Amino acid sequence: MVIKTVNLETVCGITSKLPDNTLPEIAFAGKSNVGKSSLINGLMNRKNYARTSAQPGKTQTINYYNINDELYFVDLPGYGYANASVEIKAKWGKMVERYLRTSKQLKAVFLLIDIRHEPSANDRQMYSWILESGFTPVIIATKLDKIKRSQLDKQLKILREGLKAEKGSVLLPYSALTKQGREEIYDYIQTLL
């Protein structure tokens, strides 16, 4: 997959009407500090197009990136952000749920989970939500460069079992640092288009 053009086309806040797109959409969900913006930047071959931050909870909107006028990468707000109020978290949750249930063009949801840790309660809840919305999440195991190669199979097994992932679920390890796993993600996206 060769990415020639990228355009942040639409930003939707809590009260915004979601756009009625005609191109396929791939959504990215994950905890606040899991490396979602880094993955999206890595896939788009851009340094800081999707805003990365040392401070979790930066993405508080649904951001639609038009890729090559062929598809959208849809960046969903990060969850599990401790400093957000209960009220704000509930509003983000409703916004994400509304997106998952109403987007006519959504082809897949990539659920990002840190490969070093067992899935959190928030991760498991998001996994269930995605299933309830009619999608089987594609699990992207981020921060691959932070573990030894010998730990890979063990960590992937921990993720799979921790999520109670359905048999045949796609699990793709990725490193934002080395870009290892990017081609596999591109290949998977191609199968959806």
Side-chain angles (χ1 to χ4, degrees), residues 17-25 64 98-108 135:
K17 183 184 180 302
L18 297 173
D20 215 359
N21 290 328
T22 54
L23 298 173
E25 297 170 1
Y64 292 79
R98 181 171 52 123
Y99 170 74
L100 291 175
R101 294 197 191 287
T102 62
S103 170
K104 292 179 184 74
Q105 299 302 327
L106 184 57
K107 300 297 177 220
F135 297 92

Side-chain angles (χ1 to χ4, degrees), residues 118-166:
E118 206 171 304
S120 67
N122 284 329
D123 291 327
R124 292 191 299 273
Q125 183 183 10
M126 183 52 104
Y127 185 84
S128 297
W129 250 9
I130 297 167
L131 283 175
E132 287 165 21
S133 299
F135 297 92
T136 301
V138 176
I139 300 150
I140 307 285
T142 61
K143 309 194 186 220
L144 177 60
D145 50 279
K146 307 265 193 225
I147 64 167
K148 294 186 181 110
R149 189 171 282 161
S150 61
Q151 296 174 291
L152 179 62
D153 290 339
K154 179 182 145 230
Q155 292 308 115
L156 291 178
K157 186 176 184 212
I158 288 170
L159 289 188
R160 201 176 282 281
E161 288 174 356
L163 292 169
K164 294 182 175 63
E166 299 191 332

Side-chain angles (χ1 to χ4, degrees), residues 43 110 138 140 144 170-174 179-191:
L43 291 175
F110 287 4
V138 176
I140 307 285
L144 177 60
V170 178
L171 212 157
L172 302 168
Y174 175 77
K179 306 294 180 269
Q180 188 179 343
R182 182 166 64 178
E183 290 308 315
E184 289 78 355
I185 296 170
Y186 282 157
D187 290 347
Y188 187 81
I189 291 171
Q190 285 299 156
T191 68

